[in-house]
Amino acid sequence: MADVKYLKDFGEAEILRRLQQFCPAEIIGDDGAVLAFPPQESLVVTTDILVDGVHFSDRTMPAEKVGWRAVAANLSDLAAMGATPIGITVGLSLPPETPMLWLDQLYQGMAACLSRYNTPLVGGDLTRSPVKTVAITALGTVSPNRIIQRTAARPGDAIVVTGHHGDSRAGLELLLEPDTPAAQGLAAGDRQALIDAHQMPLPRLDALNYLTALALTWPLAGMDSSDGLADAVLQICQCSGVGAVLQADQLPISPALRRYQPPEISRQWALYGGEDFQLVLCLPTLAAQSLLQMLPGQGAIIGQITVDQTVAIADGTGRKIPLSRSETFQHF
C-alpha cells in the first residue's frame, strides 16, 4: 500500500501548481482574473461557504461529491437570479494533515460540475486552518430587465417550483441510517436516486432561457430552495409584503421518496428538508402555465400568493396550517 501524502508534505507552491491544472491557463497567473462579459449586462456575485462537520462529512460525502455540491450550490444562486455563470473562485482553508488525494478529488468534483455548465474556475486562495472549509464565489451576468428578485411577488401570482423536494433530505437519511427497515426495503434505483439528489444536486440553469424570456413580459419573483421550500416561500412573501397558501396535495414529492417514507414524513421533508437546489417562482398564472409547458414534467404549481400576509399550507380538509419559520434551517 502506497504511503499517504498530506498537504504538509508538499508546500504551498507545489499545492497551488497542482490546482492550477483545473483553471484556464490564459486566466491564471496574475494577482487577479480579468473577465469579459457582454455590455449592458449587470454582474451578479454570490458566495457560499461549506464547513466540515456542518455542511459535509466523510461519513456522508467523499471529496469529489463535496466539490460538486459546493459548485452546484453557488450556480443555483445564480440561476435563482436569472444569471448566466461566467466563472468561480475558490477559497480553501485546510488542515496540514489533509491528504493530497482528498484535495485532488475535491477539485475533480468541482471540475465535473463546472464542465457540465461550461463555467471556468478562475482563481482563489489557500490557507491553513484546523477545519476544512470551502468558500466559493460565483460570478454571473444578467440583463437588468431580466433579473429575478424576491420582491416582485404580487397577490394572485401562482407559486411554481421546479423539480422534486425532499429528496436531498431523504438521501442524507439513507447515508446516515442505511440499516433501518425503510432503507433496507427500498429498491436500489430509488436509493441511488435519493443519494444522488443529496450528493450531486443539479442547479436549474437549464431553465434560464425560459425564465429570462418570461421576465420580459411578466413580473417574476423567485429564489432557490437551498434552505427548504418553506423557507423560500416565507422569504419571498416577507420581501414582497404578501402572503401565500400552498396546497399539500400539490407538493412536488418524488415517487422514490413516497416509496421510502410515509406521507407525513415525505411532506415534512419536502417543506423543510432543504438542499434540493430547485427554483421557487412567483408569476402570473398564464406565465406559470407557459413555463410548465416549456419544462414538461419538471415543475408544478403548488399554491398562490395572497393579499393576507400569512403563509400557510392547506391540508385538504379545510385546515390551513401556518408554515413554521422555526422549522426552517437556521445557522444560529
Side-chain angles (χ1 to χ4, degrees), residues 22-313:
F22 296 98
C23 306
E26 69 276 11
I27 292 179
I28 294 300
D30 290 308
D31 291 317
V34 179
L35 305 177
F37 59 91
Q40 309 306 316
E41 292 208 349
S42 297
L43 181 66
V44 179
V45 181
T46 181
T47 298
D48 250 13
I49 300 173
L50 275 70
V51 179
D52 190 8
V54 178
H55 302 95
F56 65 89
S57 72
D58 292 341
R59 182 180 175 191
T60 62
M61 206 168 294
E64 63 268 25
K65 299 301 195 301
V66 176
W68 178 291
R69 196 159 167 274
V71 168
N74 282 267
L75 296 185
S76 180
D77 283 336
L78 292 181
M81 296 291 295
T84 300
I86 60 172
I88 73 163
T89 63
V90 181
L92 289 177
S93 297
L94 299 173
E97 296 77 18
T98 302
M100 178 57 80
L101 179 61
W102 189 94
L103 184 57
D104 286 340
Q105 292 175 342
L106 175 78
Y107 270 71
Q108 289 165 12
M110 289 183 185
C113 188
L114 288 169
S115 65
R116 183 184 180 103
Y117 299 102
N118 195 30
T119 303
L121 169 59
V122 299
D125 192 24
L126 174 66
T127 186
R128 177 197 301 258
S129 168
V131 179
K132 292 175 185 171
T133 304
V134 183
I136 292 183
T137 295
L139 311 170
T141 63
V142 61
S143 297
N145 59 347
R146 297 185 179 186
I147 298 172
I148 301 170
Q149 296 178 295
R150 302 177 187 183
T151 55
R154 299 292 180 265
D157 280 356
I159 303 171
V160 176
V161 296
T162 62
H164 295 122
H165 281 74
D167 283 5
S168 178
R169 176 64 180 81
L172 176 62
E173 186 74 12
L174 286 167
L175 291 165
L176 292 174
E177 301 291 344
D179 298 323
T180 65
Q184 290 294 307
L186 196 61
D190 285 344
R191 174 192 294 271
Q192 193 59 52
L194 295 174
I195 289 174
D196 285 347
H198 180 68
Q199 293 182 332
M200 300 181 67
L202 300 175
R204 297 311 304 259
L205 291 164
D206 60 306
L208 283 193
N209 287 339
Y210 311 125
L211 294 176
T212 53
L214 290 173
L216 291 175
T217 306
W218 286 287
L220 181 60
M223 62 178 291
D224 80 344
S225 59
S226 54
D227 288 334
L229 175 54
D231 175 80
V233 175
L234 285 163
Q235 290 207 48
I236 291 171
C237 288
Q238 181 179 20
C239 291
S240 297
V242 295
V245 175
L246 307 185
Q247 301 298 323
D249 61 354
Q250 297 301 313
L251 293 180
I253 300 172
S254 71
L257 177 52
R258 293 181 189 276
R259 288 188 284 266
Y260 176 37
Q261 293 292 343
E264 61 274 15
I265 295 179
S266 297
R267 181 185 302 176
Q268 188 76 1
W269 287 359
L271 286 171
Y272 300 107
E275 298 183 332
D276 291 299
F277 298 105
Q278 296 289 338
L279 299 179
V280 181
L281 305 161
C282 303
L283 61 171
T285 301
L286 285 177
Q289 292 170 344
S290 176
L291 177 61
L292 294 180
Q293 289 175 356
M294 292 184 279
L295 294 171
Q298 299 181 53
I301 295 175
I302 64 166
Q304 188 174 49
I305 296 296
T306 63
V307 175
D308 179 5
Q309 294 187 19
T310 60
V311 182
I313 183 166

Side-chain angles (χ1 to χ4, degrees), residues 314-320:
D315 67 359
T317 67
R319 292 190 308 157
K320 292 183 180 179

